[in-house]
Amino acid sequence: MLADYAVCLEGSRGRRHPEPKHAYRNDFQRDRDRVVHARAFRRLDSKTQVFTRRYSDHFRNRLTHTLEVAQISRTVAAQLGLNVDLVEALALVHDIGHPPFGHAGEKALDTAMREHGYFFDHNLHALRIVEDFEIRYAAFRGLNLTFEVREGIIKHSRDYRVEQFPELEEYLLDKKPPLEAQLIDLADEVAYDTADLDDGYEARLLSLEAIRAGVPVFERYYRDVEQIYPDAIEKLKFNEAVKRMLDGMVSDLIRNTGKRIEESRIRSLDDIRNCPHRLASFSSGVEKERRETKKFLFANLYFTPVLEPEKDDAERITRELFNFWMEQPESLPQSYQEKARQEPLPRVVCDYIAGMTDNFIYDQWEKYCRGK
Ligand code: MG
């Protein structure tokens, strides 16, 4: 049973190119399946989240991270009576626009673009992927996703102003996105805050002592675990504490969002869209803990000197390849050379690089830039 404020199929604004209904899969389920079958989705498997494979084969990459976000989002959506099919499609597509080499790659690509008067934004890039770059169907270009999925791609993590992005006007930029889209960003937070503690501990970049001292919410759960399993080995106590932390954040998100829906007297999807602020959120207590956790991860993991050389390499490889193709566009693949006749060259080079996996960009750099 869907809540009154959930996105329902009957209310969908539909696809750009109308299609006959499927016999037993609804439109949001079909969108989810189209995302899973997209080439850009498969490539998430070889894209860095935080760590490259140098540290271990056990770590998350963007694909496994995406699956964790989908699992968390489904749980939250079901509890709030939201449209789980739409939420699943949005979660699976949420990171599809990320370039290789995680944030270092994104930063390098954005810097290179700004030198030519453009910029790189992974949400806008994701929209270009599903609208234009994926070529799988004879009847149309792109995946021909429903309006609600395209809107969620753009609006799940931030608001865009129509004065600055007139090309996005159709996505109701003066209104808030449905709760289905709002909760993706928070599920993303839950997934990577806990996963990065886990991977950081596993990589021995974070010690148990440092986490206990620097992440109060972890410390609280760890003490509980020590009471229940005093004889368990450290690694298992660690896992139990991280698991409780994840569950605590998810439960708080469900509870607090439900409470805000009540307090704001939300009765319909329009009420959600017209509400001056987003309604999906953690309680102030958990929000404070989340910020503490993030601060700890920034100081001790994302900006640890140990990962610096790797990030420097990522930025240098991205920048050098970008400059190489700007100077020698005749070395781009044929299809991109053709695109460059219709679109600005920096945009075409950026699109090409953003689609690459960590392995492929490295191979390209070896081929064109190494030793030059
Ligand atoms: Mg993510």
Side-chain angles (χ1 to χ4, degrees), residues 62-283:
R62 283 221 182 262
L63 181 62
T64 59
H65 158 73
T66 293
L67 297 177
E68 293 182 359
V69 174
Q71 174 261 317
I72 292 167
S73 306
R74 286 177 52 109
T75 301
V76 177
Q79 287 303 308
L80 292 172
L82 299 174
N83 193 314
V84 175
D85 294 329
L86 173 59
V87 163
E88 192 175 14
L90 288 177
L92 291 172
V93 82
H94 91 280
D95 265 356
I96 212 168
H98 275 281
F101 295 145
H103 283 284
E106 187 168 6
K107 194 172 123 202
L109 210 46
D110 186 55
T111 307
M113 284 293 272
R114 283 181 193 274
E115 283 166 17
H116 297 273
Y118 303 93
F119 62 92
F120 178 78
D121 174 301
H122 64 87
N123 291 338
L124 298 177
H125 188 69
L127 191 63
R128 287 158 68 77
I129 290 172
V130 302
E131 287 264 79
D132 192 35
F133 303 163
E134 288 287 327
I135 301 176
R136 308 182 48 83
Y137 303 98
F140 43 77
R141 235 188 129 86
L143 303 181
N144 196 29
L145 302 176
T146 55
F147 174 89
E148 288 72 21
V149 174
R150 285 179 283 127
E151 182 199 16
I153 288 174
I154 282 299
K155 286 158 77 173
H156 74 268
S157 59
R158 56 165 284 198
D159 298 323
Y160 292 81
R161 284 185 308 118
V162 72
E163 305 85 64
Q164 211 185 344
F165 298 94
E167 73 275 19
L168 300 177
E169 197 187 358
E170 66 178 302
Y171 296 111
L172 317 171
L173 297 186
D174 55 336
K175 295 192 189 296
K176 292 289 170 274
L179 275 174
E180 281 83 349
Q182 292 186 28
L183 69 85
I184 300 297
D185 203 38
L186 298 158
D188 194 19
E189 281 274 348
V190 174
Y192 66 69
D193 286 348
T194 50
D196 292 347
L197 285 179
D198 190 18
D199 286 350
Y201 172 77
E202 186 85 4
R204 297 175 202 276
L205 293 172
L206 300 173
S207 68
L208 179 67
E209 293 68 35
I211 298 174
R212 290 186 64 178
V215 185
V217 55
F218 177 89
E219 169 65 5
R220 202 177 69 231
Y221 288 122
Y222 195 85
R223 283 181 187 209
D224 291 348
V225 171
E226 277 192 315
Q227 296 283 322
I228 306 167
Y229 303 109
D231 300 327
I233 60 165
E234 180 186 299
K235 172 68 184 156
L236 291 181
K237 286 193 233 180
F238 174 87
N239 288 353
E240 288 284 341
V242 171
K243 185 193 86 173
R244 283 165 167 75
M245 190 176 151
L246 191 155
D247 191 53
M249 290 177 90
V250 169
S251 302
D252 182 79
L253 176 58
I254 294 165
R255 230 179 3 248
N256 192 62
T257 304
K259 192 169 137 227
R260 296 186 77 199
I261 292 168
E262 289 247 333
E263 285 169 357
S264 307
R265 301 177 191 285
I266 299 295
R267 301 273 179 272
S268 67
L269 178 55
D270 276 344
D271 289 349
I272 298 212
R273 287 192 176 287
N274 293 325
C275 188
H277 43 265
R278 291 177 180 235
L279 287 160
S281 71
F282 300 111
S283 66

